[in-house]
Amino acid sequence: MGSLPEASSVLAVCAHPDDESFGLGATLAAFADRGTPTAVLCLTHGAASALGTSRGDLHQIRATELAAAARELGIGNVELLDYPDGALAQQPAELLSEHVRQSAARANASLLLVFDEGGITGHPDHQQATRAASLFARRARLAVLAWAVEQQVATTLNAEFGTSFVGRAADQIDCSVEVDRRRQLSAIICHASQAQDNRVLWRRLELQGKREVFRWLDRVGETRPGWTRRPGTGK
């Protein structure tokens, strides 16, 4: 097991409210617990979700849930934009990357935290959010750390639920970190509209246990102890 990289400030770039908790929650909490300032840029209100529709206007509900979850995770600042949920991939990556630039400047971020390039679940919105973050980061020479899932976790979920998780083999993973999920679980509960009937979420967390894995999409500077470059990648 390794440890999270050092950063002066972390900006997480997400597609939907709940991504910061369901996916990145344990990681953001770990940075916050270490005293590292954290911020979140969320590109949509997630109003197209099929979950929680009986609760009322998801546009407002999910914004309120995001604010509450951010407090649980110790996130210092949240920016919630209103691009169309389910159609983020149709928005120009250049346009989205400008929002990332502005948020990174406000947060004074030295590290971007994103979903893996496959979007974890294969969701095009997730992939476009990561694409926009990486586009800005290459120009700004900022490091981009991607949260990933292991291949066996993805394979099990896809077999049990017919999902499209994109997993990573051991030789594609740069580091695994042991995490404390208590603050993440508190944040997940804040997203009641999306968590209550979400069997896939709870099964994934069960399969992951206390382990999170990561890949470098872009990196700046030397490798921190506990992180291993993949042969031939320069990463």
Side-chain angles (χ1 to χ4, degrees):
M1 290 282 184
S3 57
L4 290 171
E6 298 291 347
S8 59
S9 180
V10 175
L11 172 67
V13 181
C14 303
H16 314 109
D18 78 24
D19 290 344
E20 85 301 327
S21 296
F22 291 9
L24 307 178
T27 308
L28 286 168
F31 275 119
D33 287 344
R34 200 165 69 184
T36 303
T38 59
V40 167
L41 170 64
C42 184
L43 297 170
T44 84
H45 275 68
S49 175
L51 297 174
T53 55
S54 64
R55 293 173 176 263
D57 178 10
L58 283 182
H59 189 277
Q60 182 56 50
I61 288 170
R62 300 198 68 183
T64 302
E65 290 176 342
L66 174 60
R71 289 191 292 270
E72 292 290 340
L73 295 173
I75 294 169
N77 187 60
V78 176
E79 295 181 58
L80 178 59
L81 305 184
D82 203 17
Y83 284 97
D85 183 17
L88 196 60
Q90 299 171 24
Q91 305 301 315
E94 286 279 358
L95 174 63
L96 300 177
S97 73
E98 174 61 17
H99 292 295
V100 179
R101 183 193 68 78
Q102 293 172 9
S103 292
R106 283 189 283 269
N108 196 28
S110 65
L111 175 69
L112 301 186
L113 181 64
V114 299
F115 277 33
D116 197 5
E117 290 166 308
I120 301 294
T121 61
H123 198 309
D125 283 4
H126 294 169
Q127 296 177 60
Q128 187 71 343
T130 295
R131 193 174 296 119
S134 294
L135 180 60
F136 161 69
R138 283 193 296 271
R139 295 169 177 168
R141 294 189 53 77
L142 282 183
V144 182
L145 182 65
W147 168 65
V149 297
E150 295 172 283
Q151 185 62 63
Q152 65 265 30
V153 173
T155 298
T156 299
L157 291 169
N158 293 341
E160 292 182 1
F161 297 100
T163 47
S164 302
F165 278 82
V166 180
R168 296 295 179 179
D171 63 355
Q172 297 177 299
I173 291 170
D174 288 313
C175 191
S176 64
V177 174
E178 183 174 332
V179 294
D180 182 341
R181 295 201 184 275
R182 286 176 293 183
R183 293 181 70 180
Q184 179 185 28
L185 293 173
S186 295
I188 287 172
I189 291 170
C190 293
H191 288 285
S193 71
Q194 305 302 301
Q196 187 170 354
D197 299 318
N198 195 331
R199 294 188 300 137
V200 176
L201 165 65
W202 298 112
R203 178 61 169 144
R204 172 174 61 77
L205 292 171
E206 178 185 20
L207 291 169
Q208 290 178 287
K210 295 182 178 181
R211 175 182 166 97
E212 294 285 14
V213 298
F214 302 92
R215 303 175 61 237
W216 284 112
L217 302 188
D218 292 286
R219 70 178 309 145
V220 178
E222 295 300 317
T223 306
R224 187 177 186 271
W227 292 79
T228 304
R229 283 192 177 92
R230 298 194 300 277
T233 67
K235 296 183 178 180

